[in-house]
Structure formats: C-alpha cells, structure tokens
Amino acid sequence: MSTPILNTKLYVSQPRPNAVLRPCLIERLDEGLCSRLILVSAPAGFGKTTIVSEWVAGCNRLDPEVRPAWLSLDEGDSDPARFLAYLVAAVRTVAPDVGQSVLDMLQSPQPPPTESMLSTLLNEVAALPHGVVLVLDDYHLVDSEPVDRAVAFVLEHLPPQLHLIIATREDPHLPLARWRARGQLTELRAADLRFTPEEAAEFLNRVMGLELSATDVTALEARTEGWIAGLQLAALSIQGRPDAAGFIQAFTGSNRFVLDYLVEEVLERQSQAARSFLLQTSILDTLCGPLCDAVTGQKHGKDTLERLERDNLFVVPLDDDRRWYRYHHLFADVLQAHLLEEQPDQLPALHTRASGWYEENGSRSDAVRHALLAEDFEWAADLIELAGPSVVTGSHTAIWLKWARSLPDELIRARPVLSVWYAYAMLGTGELEAAEARLTDAERWLEPGPGQPPVAVDQEELRSLLATIGVARAYRAHSLGDVPGTVKHAQRVLDLLPEGDHLRREQAIALIAMTYWTSGDLEATDRLFVDCSQRQVAADNILVAISAMSVLPDIRPALGRLRGAVDALTRLLQVVVDHGEPLLPEAADLYRGLGELALEQGDLAAAAAHLLRSKELGDQGEMPVWRWRWHVAQARLLEAKGDLEGALGMFAEAERLFIRTPLPDARPLAALKARIWATQGRLTEALEWARGRGLSVDDDLSYLHEFEHVTLAKVLIARGELEAIGLLERLLQAAEEGGRMGSAIEILVLQALAHHAQGDTSAALAPLERALSLAEPEGYVRVFVSEGPPMARLLEEAASRGVAVESARRLLAAFPSTGPGGDHPSGARDEVKELLSEREIEVLQLIAAGLTNREVAARLYLSLYTIKAHARSIYDKLDAHNRTQAVARARELGILPLL
C-alpha cells in the first residue's frame, strides 16, 4: 500500500512548551493582522518557524474564531498546480468544506487557469463564519514566477476572513514596496529575530538546561550575534561536558570550522545505526518511514524519525500524524557534506532507491530528480521519455528540456522516441537547427540493417515514430520558409496515419493550411482552419480547437470579413465557457484575437479589456508564441492611444520574445515599427528600414511581402513622392485578385491620401468612397483613424461634398477629441452618447448613484469582471481616469442629468 504524498507538508506547528517567550515579537505579529501580509524574512536559523508557530498557537486569543493552517514548502512546489493543491489542502485542514471544487478542477484533464481556481477558493473562504490564518513556511524554496503571481493574486484579493504569513530566507518576488508604502505590510527581519543577551541566557540555561555564567552567555551571544541555530548547536555540544567554559572559549575563537566541529560533536554522540540513518536519508527533502526504509534498506524508519524528533536532532514534523518530517536545512547541508566525505560511493544507490520509491508512489518529477542525481541516466531516460507527451501540449516544456539536457548525448541518440520528444521541445522554443539534429538521430533508427534494436520504453510511440517525425519536419520546414518541404512532409503524415489518429492528422492539415496562407490563398486557409476547429470541438478537444481558431484574427480582416472573425471567436469562446469556469489558459489566444479585432473596429476600451483578460489567462501557462503575439497586440493598442514611444518599447519587447514558428510572418515587427517612425516624422529611419529590406516600387509582389510594400507606400506618401501611386495601383490589383478585400481597403485609403497630398481632391475622393463602402458593413475604423489629421481633413471634405456622408461622419467621431483645426470634428459631440451602449449607460447611472462595482454587479446580475470591463470602456470613451471624472464628463455631455 503506497504512502499518500499530498498531506506530507501540512501541519500546524506546535511550539515547544519550554520555548523562550518573546512578547515583543508576539505583539508585532498581533498588529500584523491588520496588514495585507505578515512577512518574516531572515537568514537560516533565526527562528522564523519557531516564532510564527508560537504566535499561531495563540492567535485565537485575539479572535476565538480564528483557525490556523500551515503549509511547509519545498522546491517541488514551484509547479503551480502542485502549489495550488497543497494550498487548498492546507486551508481544508481548518475548513473542510472549502476547496473541494478546486481539487476536482486540478484533477481534470484540462485544469483551469490558476487565477480562476484561486478566485473560486477565495470566494469560498469569504463565506466562512470564521477566520483563517495561513502560514506559508520556507517560501524561499519556491522559484517560480507563476507561483509568485498566484500568491500576489491571493494577497490582492484577500477576503477579510483570510490572513497570510510568509516565512522565508529571502524576500519573495511580490510587490512588497507598494504594500509597504501603503502601510499594508508587517515585517520581521533578522534584526528583530536575533536573540538579545537576556533571551540567549533564558534559552541556554532554562530551555537547554545549561548552567552557564553571565560571562559565558555573553561570549556565546556575541560569537553567534544572536543567531538562534548557532546557540542551539553550541548548547547541544556543551550538554554533559565538564568544562563548558573551556569549550565556549574555543567556540568564541576565530576558527572558521567551528560549526562543522559542533555538528561532528552531535553526530559522534549518536549510535552507529542512527548516524548512518542520518547521513543516508540526508539526500531527501522530506522523510517518511517507508521512504527512509527504501533508501536505507533497513526497517523501522518511522520509529527512528520519532526518536530523532524526541532527541531534538533538528527533525521537523510536517503533519500532526508524525508521518512526514524534514531535517533542519542547515543540519541537512552538513549531513550531506559528511555523507559525501565518508560514503561518496553510496550516493548513486541512495538516489536510485529514492527515485524508485517516488515513481511507485506517483511522483514522477521527484523520481526524475533523484534519478539524475544518482546519474542513473538509463533509468532517468526511461522516466523522461514517459513524460514526453507533456511536450506536445506545451504544459511542461521548460522543465522537460531541463531534464533532457542533463542526460548524456549518446544515450539520447540511442533512443528514437526520446530524440523526437527532444526535437518537439526545441521546436516549441524556436531552436530549429538544434531540433534537426535530434530528428536525424531518431530517423536513423528507421533504416533497416544489422545492429542493436532501438531503445524505447514507450512502444506505442515507437510504432508511430515515422509519422511523429513527419509532423516535426513539416513544422520545421514551414518555420524556415520551405513551403514545398512542408507539403511533402505533411502529406506523407496523412498517407501514413489512419483516420483514427486525429491529433497528428490535424497537425499535418494545419501545416498544409499554413502553406496556403503563405501563398496568399487566405480563403483556403480559412476553410481548413475552421473545419479543423469544428472537428476538434465535436471531439471535445478544446485546446486544438482554440489553436486552430486563433489564426482567424490574422486571416479574416485581410479578407474583409472583420465581423465574421469576431463572430467565430465569440462562438468558440462560448464553447470554452460552457465547458465550465474558470477558463483554460489557452483561451488567452481567443481574447488576444478579440482584442485585435476590437482595435480594428475602433473600440479601444473593448480592445484593452480583451487584452487584459488575455494576459490574465496567458500568464498562467507556458505559451511563448502567445506571449510575443500579445505584446504585438498591446503595442498596436498603445499606438492607437497615441503613445508611440510606449508602442515602440512594446514592439522591442516583442522582438526579444519572438521565436520562429510556422505562422507566416506577414506583418513583420520591423515594418510595424517603420510605420510608427513615419507617423513620428522619422522618415530617415523608415527609409533605412526599407533599404535594409531591399524594398522598391518595382519589386515583384507577393502576399508575404504585401504588408511591407504597403508600409513602403506610406513612407513614400509621407515624403511626398509620386511613385507611391504606381506601387499602390499594383498592390490593389494583387489584393483584389487574391480576394483580400481587407487589404484592398487599406490600399484604397492610401491611394486617397496620396492624391490628396498632391492637391487632387477629386482624384482622392474616388478611392476613398470605395474604401468607405467596403469598410462600412464590416465596421473597419482603425484603418482610417490611424492616418491621423490628413484623413480627418479628407473625410471632412468628403462629407461636405456629399460623398458617403454618414460613413464619413461616423468615422470622424472616432478620431481623437480634437480635429484637424483643433476643434471637435463635426458631429462628434452629438455622437458621444451614441458611443455608449445601453448597458454602459445603465452601469454609468448606477456608478453616479454611488454604488460600488460589486453592488452594480449584484444589481444587474452580472459578474464583477464584466462590470469592471464596462467601467474601463466608459472611462476610455469619456476620456476619464476614474468614476468621478466619468460622471462629471457624462453630465457635461448630457448623458446624465445635471445636479
């Protein structure tokens, strides 16, 4: 019967009955209950856990209904899902009815994002009739941005019932400075925790049972600088010595090996069996009887751990049942050093035994870690290969790569399945050249001939190896711009695989669709991706459906079907929502796409809300492609808001994050930056970009370079060069022949501006009128507004001449608040109220009545997130920064009645 792992870290530490009383620190912690966070941060051995456990044991004297919960962390908790599972389990030790739904979510095949699960947990805690004090001990052992973000989210949304304490050796990556400035942080540091001479005397003489003179106590206190662990080590070594004063005199000397000497003294007082147990089990981060038995090859591990605890040998219990323990970290470090010195040949065997135990008990990450420490690379390779499918989903690519890179290269080359997973992981991080070597290693095992058979622990994957390699080669080929190679490899996959192998067949079809996209056949591309998404929805494979649909915001706007893109993404998002809240992190791509589409429609508030939601979801997972694409979308939003330098900075960050993928680079980052330079009047830099790319008005045209040539035309128009008109005529013809009416709209806009810049208004109005007629049904706005005052003047001229009057006036209302002459564009003031939806006006009226966002949500039966999104939209549309300004602006414009 396996030993359960989940509960090993949960305990409410009980203070020792004879501990040193420290009322000043207890009072500081009492006061901290009014803060957002109590942070106890100091180096090892300063009694952080001791003082917190002492305070926790008596915290209900302030409120009898407060219940303490404890979570002792380790390196393994850097995994967000594991951290959240233990966090929920800790809360459930004092509130058993809380968190079961979150634990169920964590066990689902597609767990929701961490933030959403935390929201569920916090809402349940908020409904408790009693308070909860939650201690996160040893937080410094967690090295994970997602976990830091999760803790920050908890602290930012802390319900009144929950109080959080973090004990750590180093400051966590949380917004401490902000909370400190707001008076929301209570801190205990090393200077607060070190023993005073009086406390040192009480500890040494009363707690440890020594009878030291004041001189001896002062000497020890001075030598240790109040460091509690040093005093404890010294006291253990002094016990039973006839010449305590002589020992202390030596201890206070300058010998830098004093602590090693003390530990040796402690160790040498143990029996040989106990000493061997201590050294051999020091390789473990946490200890339980069965695990210790497996590592040492002995029995009675549980009894030994209990005796070590009774003997005060730096063994810390981790649960009330005394099943799991850990060594004091400093003690473990010294034990490991002595093990390495005395029994170096035993280390591999000890780690191998630990690895086997963890694999049998369902903790593969710990099994891999100990296998690598044992340098038992064959066993480690087996485990890492079995974990390979996680690479395809991208859920654990980073940690998997770290494991694989620890293996000897010749071992990986001998394992074709492992080599292919290695290639997949490298492709996912943009390492295309390195991935090729791994694919070659795998392919050579497919060639018939004499020799050893391939090594593979996953025989099913070995049988599908040729198709798996084909998908990887097609992916790599298109990432490098090799369209024929992509088609060859993808078609081979389809020929090899049966109809039932849905995942790999869809991957191959998607890569073929990419080749149509590159060639400019966007209709075929759209059809293949939509069909793929629909099949995956029917098969309940939502992740692949999202991936397929996430390209529509690139394809359909170019086709002139902006509303169709919005509808498709909205429908799929509803499918995702219907699968249950909270949403998958992968839904971030849908929100990113909706944000970009809202931007094209001129709804900056909606775009900002969608991109914010996208970031909230995307930050929950490993999605490098989403990350750089999100930065591009955010940069375009900043550009639309007039923050051109901010946009350039965001584009620079996108360049840093960029990785090569099969997605066609149809809107290169450098071209996007060149457009901003042209807007800023930095035409020299924009021209240098064009020259660097080898662009000219006489180039052969292709879809893949269409955006760059349109950008070149914009730069030439800004310079007043007539040759832009000829280039635009050729671009328009190519776009129309390819059915890319969205591209045609932008080209027509530029044609109109080029003619208007030459003073030929009549010639300008014809392409403008056609652009307006194409744009109006689909709601294109940004393509006009982005051209700034020259377009505003041309629209004013069109309206005055009776050309597309209604369309021109609607677009003028979307320009910034001041028009070409410094006044509001005609009709803009009258249409401000129309910019607010009925729901937004309803929300605004309740805000004006003084209701909080939460109260508005309750009144309208909407979620708090939806109300916040409406509020952000209202602020943006009314050019306000807060609710007071929004209400005042609404009264000024007649949206709300004057007081």
Side-chain angles (χ1 to χ4, degrees):
M1 182 175 177
S2 64
T3 299
I5 291 179
L6 182 61
N7 293 327
T8 64
K9 300 146 59 63
L10 310 176
Y11 69 102
V12 178
S13 181
Q14 296 298 316
R16 298 186 182 278
N18 58 350
V20 175
L21 299 178
R22 312 189 72 183
C24 292
L25 295 182
I26 296 298
E27 184 177 352
R28 290 273 301 279
L29 292 168
D30 287 347
E31 296 169 354
L33 281 180
C34 298
S35 303
R36 186 182 298 274
L37 169 66
I38 297 175
L39 176 66
V40 184
S41 179
F46 271 87
K48 299 181 291 294
T49 300
T50 300
I51 188 61
V52 173
S53 63
E54 180 184 343
W55 178 80
V56 162
C59 66
N60 58 5
R61 70 187 179 283
L62 301 174
D63 182 352
E65 294 300 318
V66 169
R67 301 178 187 177
W70 195 287
L71 175 55
S72 183
L73 300 166
D74 58 40
E75 290 88 347
D77 298 318
S78 295
D79 176 64
R82 173 170 161 156
F83 173 82
L84 183 53
Y86 283 129
L87 184 72
V88 173
V91 175
R92 285 171 61 82
T93 61
V94 296
D97 296 333
V98 165
Q100 183 59 53
S101 60
V102 177
L103 293 178
D104 292 341
M105 293 174 195
L106 286 167
Q107 297 301 317
S108 66
Q110 297 175 348
T114 301
E115 179 181 310
S116 299
M117 290 187 283
L118 286 172
S119 296
T120 300
L121 177 64
L122 293 175
N123 287 336
E124 292 181 12
V125 170
L128 289 173
H130 60 80
V132 175
V133 172
L134 175 60
V135 179
L136 301 182
D137 196 19
D138 290 334
Y139 191 87
H140 57 277
L141 296 176
V142 174
D143 183 16
S144 168
E145 288 186 15
V147 171
D148 288 335
R149 288 195 297 267
V151 173
F153 180 87
V154 169
L155 286 163
E156 291 288 3
H157 301 82
L158 209 62
Q161 289 85 348
L162 184 60
H163 309 279
L164 196 63
I165 303 175
I166 291 179
T168 176
R169 291 186 187 179
E170 56 189 42
D171 282 1
H173 299 293
L174 300 172
L176 301 179
R178 183 169 76 231
W179 295 335
R180 187 180 295 119
R182 295 175 178 175
Q184 296 174 335
L185 179 65
T186 295
E187 300 173 85
L188 292 183
R189 300 284 180 175
D192 307 304
L193 294 170
R194 61 171 47 104
F195 272 172
T196 64
E198 294 76 14
E199 289 171 334
E202 182 183 6
F203 172 75
L204 292 168
N205 289 333
R206 184 178 66 81
V207 177
M208 299 303 294
L210 304 178
E211 296 180 357
L212 302 181
S213 67
T215 301
D216 291 338
V217 170
T218 300
L220 273 179
E221 193 278 333
R223 181 68 181 89
T224 60
E225 298 184 35
W227 179 45
I228 300 167
L231 288 168
Q232 186 176 14
L233 286 167
L236 286 171
S237 296
I238 291 171
Q239 286 175 342
R241 285 183 175 272
D243 185 18
F247 176 86
I248 293 171
Q249 186 61 39
F251 181 78
T252 57
S254 59
N255 189 336
R256 59 193 176 93
F257 302 109
V258 166
L259 286 181
D260 281 345
Y261 172 74
L262 289 173
V263 176
E264 287 173 9
E265 288 289 309
V266 173
L267 285 176
E268 288 183 1
R269 297 190 180 198
Q270 305 304 309
S271 67
Q272 184 58 41
R275 191 174 192 280
S276 178
F277 180 92
L278 288 168
L279 294 181
Q280 291 180 0
T281 57
S282 68
I283 67 164
L284 302 170
D285 292 336
T286 57
L287 311 101
C288 71
L291 175 56
C292 291
D293 290 344
V295 170
T296 63
Q298 304 295 320
K299 297 181 179 179
H300 312 300
K302 183 176 184 295
D303 294 338
T304 303
L305 289 170
E306 291 175 351
R307 184 182 64 79
L308 292 174
E309 183 195 2
R310 287 195 302 270
D311 290 348
N312 199 29
L313 281 176
F314 300 99
V315 178
V316 180
L318 300 181
D319 58 4
D320 292 334
D321 297 331
R322 295 303 198 263
R323 175 178 293 172
W324 283 88
Y325 299 83
R326 67 170 174 83
Y327 291 125
H328 184 285
H329 298 305
L330 292 180
F331 190 52
D333 291 343
V334 177
L335 290 175
Q336 290 164 15
H338 282 272
L339 175 64
L340 184 61
E341 179 182 344
E342 298 176 19
Q343 305 176 31
D345 56 324
Q346 292 295 310
L347 276 170
L350 297 173
H351 282 296
T352 297
R353 294 171 195 163
S355 176
W357 188 91
Y358 275 119
E359 176 66 9
E360 290 176 5
N361 285 270
S363 182
R364 180 159 291 162
S365 60
D366 286 317
V368 171
R369 182 167 58 86
H370 280 286
L372 291 173
L373 288 170
E375 298 187 356
D376 187 349
F377 295 124
E378 292 286 347
W379 169 238
D382 285 350
L383 297 173
I384 294 169
E385 181 179 318
L386 290 172
S390 66
V391 173
V392 177
T393 63
S395 57
H396 297 96
T397 302
I399 186 64
W400 194 95
L401 268 176
K402 182 180 179 181
W403 291 342
R405 284 171 172 152
S406 302
L407 297 173
D409 197 58
E410 62 273 12
L411 187 150
I412 297 173
R413 290 202 302 269
R415 291 171 170 257
V417 174
L418 183 59
S419 294
V420 168
W421 291 138
Y422 206 155
Y424 267 67
M426 288 176 162
L427 290 172
T429 55
E431 301 175 57
L432 305 183
E433 290 73 21
E436 169 62 25
R438 297 302 172 189
L439 292 173
T440 301
D441 290 338
E443 273 182 327
R444 68 186 178 87
W445 290 104
L446 298 173
E447 301 171 1
Q452 294 292 326
V455 179
V457 66
D458 192 334
Q459 291 296 314
E460 184 177 348
E461 285 296 339
L462 182 62
R463 287 189 289 272
S464 304
L465 189 64
L466 189 59
T468 307
I469 291 173
V471 171
R473 286 213 173 277
Y475 182 105
R476 182 178 182 276
H478 206 261
S479 299
L480 293 171
D482 179 6
V483 172
T486 305
V487 174
K488 180 186 74 172
H489 292 299
Q491 189 59 54
R492 188 183 185 195
V493 171
L494 294 176
D495 294 341
L496 284 170
L497 291 175
E499 292 292 332
D501 195 331
H502 299 296
L503 179 59
R504 271 177 282 237
R505 289 186 66 86
E506 294 293 10
Q507 290 172 332
I509 291 170
L511 287 163
I512 290 174
M514 296 284 186
T515 66
Y516 288 122
W517 187 354
T518 297
S519 67
D521 188 352
L522 302 191
E523 287 287 358
T525 307
D526 182 89
R527 183 173 60 256
L528 285 172
F529 277 117
V530 170
D531 289 347
C532 172
S533 181
Q534 290 173 346
R535 286 193 297 271
Q536 294 308 306
V537 168
D540 203 31
N541 193 343
I542 300 301
L543 294 183
V544 178
I546 291 172
S547 178
M549 199 65 78
S550 67
V551 302
L552 290 197
D554 299 284
I555 295 169
R556 288 196 172 176
L559 287 170
R561 299 209 294 268
L562 197 56
R563 297 192 192 279
V566 174
D567 291 344
L569 262 63
T570 302
R571 285 196 300 271
L572 181 56
L573 185 58
Q574 187 59 53
V575 172
V576 177
V577 170
D578 289 345
H579 269 67
E581 289 281 359
L583 297 182
L584 300 166
E586 288 75 11
D589 251 336
L590 299 181
Y591 279 104
R592 174 194 58 78
L594 288 170
E596 293 191 90
L597 296 171
L599 183 61
E600 294 297 339
Q601 293 178 318
D603 192 344
L604 303 191
H610 287 314
L611 290 178
L612 176 61
R613 184 60 174 150
S614 176
K615 188 174 190 304
E616 291 170 348
L617 291 170
D619 280 344
Q620 306 293 324
E622 290 182 29
M623 297 186 290
V625 177
W626 163 83
R627 194 167 299 281
W628 70 259
R629 296 193 80 195
W630 181 89
H631 278 79
V632 171
Q634 187 68 19
R636 295 187 62 229
L637 177 61
L638 291 172
E639 179 186 2
K641 290 183 173 182
D643 184 2
L644 301 186
E645 288 301 324
L648 287 172
M650 192 64 70
F651 278 135
E653 181 64 11
E655 286 178 319
R656 187 185 70 80
L657 295 169
F658 178 80
I659 61 172
R660 292 172 293 175
T661 74
L663 291 171
D665 193 13
R667 297 166 68 92
L669 287 169
L672 289 164
K673 289 165 61 178
R675 291 187 171 208
I676 293 181
W677 291 336
T679 301
Q680 292 176 317
R682 297 160 62 179
L683 299 180
T684 300
E685 291 166 89
L687 278 175
E688 286 177 357
W689 159 79
R691 294 191 187 103
R693 292 289 297 153
L695 298 172
S696 78
V697 296
D698 300 318
D699 290 337
D700 291 335
L701 302 181
S702 69
Y703 166 72
L704 204 56
H705 297 289
E706 181 177 81
F707 187 81
E708 290 181 305
H709 282 113
V710 172
T711 303
L712 173 63
K714 290 172 70 76
V715 174
L716 295 176
I717 292 170
R719 286 173 55 85
E721 297 186 20
L722 291 173
E723 56 187 346
I725 295 176
L727 173 60
L728 289 169
E729 289 175 354
R730 296 173 58 223
L731 285 167
L732 180 61
Q733 180 181 353
E736 290 176 334
E737 290 174 353
R740 299 187 297 275
M741 302 315 295
S743 298
I745 292 171
E746 181 177 25
I747 296 167
L748 288 165
V749 165
L750 293 179
Q751 280 187 328
L753 288 173
H755 287 299
H756 195 240
Q758 299 300 318
D760 191 347
T761 301
S762 296
L765 291 178
L768 177 63
E769 184 174 17
R770 187 170 176 225
L772 290 171
S773 68
L774 290 171
E776 174 72 17
E778 295 294 327
Y780 287 86
V781 172
R782 181 67 196 154
V783 66
F784 297 92
V785 176
S786 65
E787 299 303 330
M791 176 52 65
R793 288 192 289 269
L794 185 55
L795 288 170
E796 289 276 13
E797 185 67 27
S800 69
R801 296 192 184 193
V803 175
V805 176
E806 294 302 320
S807 295
R809 285 181 176 170
R810 270 192 288 274
L811 285 172
L812 283 167
F815 277 76
S817 57
T818 55
D823 300 322
H824 288 281
S826 61
R829 180 185 178 91
D830 295 335
E831 296 189 16
V832 170
K833 185 171 182 177
E834 294 180 15
L835 292 176
L836 296 183
S837 67
E838 291 183 9
R839 177 66 80 184
E840 286 171 342
I841 292 175
E842 194 173 9
V843 170
L844 182 59
Q845 289 169 339
L846 293 175
I847 288 174
L851 275 67
T852 66
N853 286 343
R854 191 176 299 277
E855 290 168 338
V856 174
R859 181 74 63 86
L860 299 179
Y861 300 100
L862 296 173
S863 71
L864 182 59
Y865 169 79
T866 300
I867 296 302
K868 288 181 178 179
H870 280 311
R872 283 192 294 268
S873 175
I874 293 168
Y875 297 166
D876 282 345
K877 290 179 179 180
L878 297 181
D879 193 24
H881 299 291
N882 53 49
R883 53 175 47 211
T884 302
Q885 291 180 4
V887 171
R889 178 74 172 143
R891 297 193 194 285
E892 174 189 338
L893 294 171
I895 299 172
L896 294 176
L898 294 173
L899 295 175

